[in-house]
Amino acid sequence: MLLLPAIDLMAGQVVRLKQGRVTEKTVYSGDPAEVARQWETIGGDWLHLVDLDAAFEGSSRNLASVRAICQAVTIPCELGGGMRSKTSIRAALDAGVSRIVLGTRASESLEFVRDMCLAFGDNRIAISIDAYNGLVATNGWTHRTDQHASDLALAVQKAGASTIIYTDITTDGMLQGPNFRGLSLLLSLLSCQLIASGGISSVADLQRLNAMPRLHGSIIGKALYDGHIKGDLRSVLSPRES
């Protein structure tokens, strides 16, 4: 199982939001590149970057920070947030990221998913599905739909997506454990790579995720920043790694 430390960017700072609420923001650093180096040093396989300004407002103010992060580390980076056009995707790839994460736009248009996978390669496009009580949420989690996350996952897989990131909003930033039931359901339905996000609070959570057959990776956020998970990340996993 791959480990993907998260770096959420807002106005050039590294922040964390509780359940996606800007009113509950914690600023951790004004030096995103240094944070990136730290997460690489402790064993991150990828970095999961999120441009929160772009997610909420539709336009990025953090590409300079993204570029600095990509230049500071040797592990690959993926970027989500505001990736709603071919132009924004190309700009992010030019900044050095290895994979783009499509969220809101993917839920709006399967044709867009298909076109971007064809244009850039399915290995450079991941689909983020954010869910609240099993239903898809979009636009930086501010809009909740009546579409089931599992239905969207199957649809984007059919459209060509080879990687899906599933975030349970109710667990994100709460340090109460991931939604294992939701992940198990998706793993039973999908053949593409699935990455878990939200709720990881401890080494025990990581070990339980690592034991789930076919789970491709896990994104770790608040548990790292608040010190609930420390030291060499690779050392906490059993031999199923990767």
Side-chain angles (χ1 to χ4, degrees):
M1 181 180 73
L2 299 180
L3 299 175
L4 299 87
I7 299 179
D8 292 356
L9 300 167
M10 183 171 277
Q13 296 178 314
V14 178
V15 306
R16 295 296 296 170
L17 307 182
K18 181 181 290 188
Q19 296 183 316
R21 295 191 292 264
V22 178
T23 54
E24 296 196 47
K25 177 179 75 173
T26 302
V27 177
Y28 285 95
S29 175
D31 189 346
E34 177 56 34
V35 173
R37 283 188 288 266
Q38 179 182 354
W39 296 156
E40 178 180 32
T41 298
I42 67 171
D45 298 298
W46 279 68
L47 293 178
H48 176 75
L49 314 181
V50 180
D51 185 334
L52 291 174
D53 293 304
F56 288 118
E57 302 167 11
S59 59
S60 175
R61 289 191 288 160
N62 295 290
L63 270 184
S65 295
V66 169
R67 186 175 291 105
I69 288 170
C70 292
Q71 292 173 348
V73 297
T74 60
I75 57 175
C77 302
E78 63 183 16
L79 174 66
M83 296 291 111
R84 299 171 193 172
S85 69
K86 192 172 184 178
T87 300
S88 61
I89 291 172
R90 192 176 299 281
L93 291 172
D94 288 344
V97 301
S98 297
R99 185 164 64 201
I100 299 300
V101 181
L102 304 181
T104 296
R105 193 75 171 88
S107 69
E108 295 171 343
S109 173
L110 294 176
E111 183 178 1
F112 182 73
V113 173
R114 188 177 298 109
D115 289 347
M116 296 305 99
C117 288
L118 288 172
F120 298 104
D122 64 352
N123 63 318
R124 305 203 77 181
I125 301 292
I127 307 301
S128 175
I129 297 178
D130 304 329
Y132 186 88
N133 291 333
L135 299 178
V136 175
T138 62
N139 298 95
W141 301 354
T142 60
H143 176 65
R144 296 174 186 173
T145 74
D146 58 3
Q147 183 178 30
H148 286 276
S150 57
D151 291 339
L152 178 58
L154 286 169
V156 298
Q157 176 180 264
K158 186 176 181 180
S162 61
T163 302
I164 292 175
I165 298 169
Y166 175 69
T167 302
D168 187 291
I169 297 172
T170 58
T171 66
D172 188 77
M174 301 303 290
L175 296 176
Q176 295 177 351
N179 180 351
F180 293 103
R181 178 183 292 183
L183 289 168
S184 295
L185 172 63
L186 289 177
L187 285 169
S188 72
L189 296 173
L190 300 172
S191 58
C192 67
Q193 297 177 160
L194 182 67
I195 296 174
S197 175
I200 294 173
S201 62
S202 65
V203 167
D205 285 339
L206 282 182
Q207 292 171 337
R208 184 174 172 185
L209 289 168
N210 190 53
M212 299 181 78
R214 295 188 48 255
L215 185 65
H216 183 66
S218 297
I219 294 170
I220 316 169
K222 190 173 175 62
L224 280 178
Y225 288 91
D226 287 357
H228 294 276
I229 297 175
K230 301 177 181 178
D232 180 7
L233 294 177
R234 282 278 132 221
S235 68
V236 307
L237 297 185
S238 67
R240 188 190 82 86
E241 296 163 13
S242 80

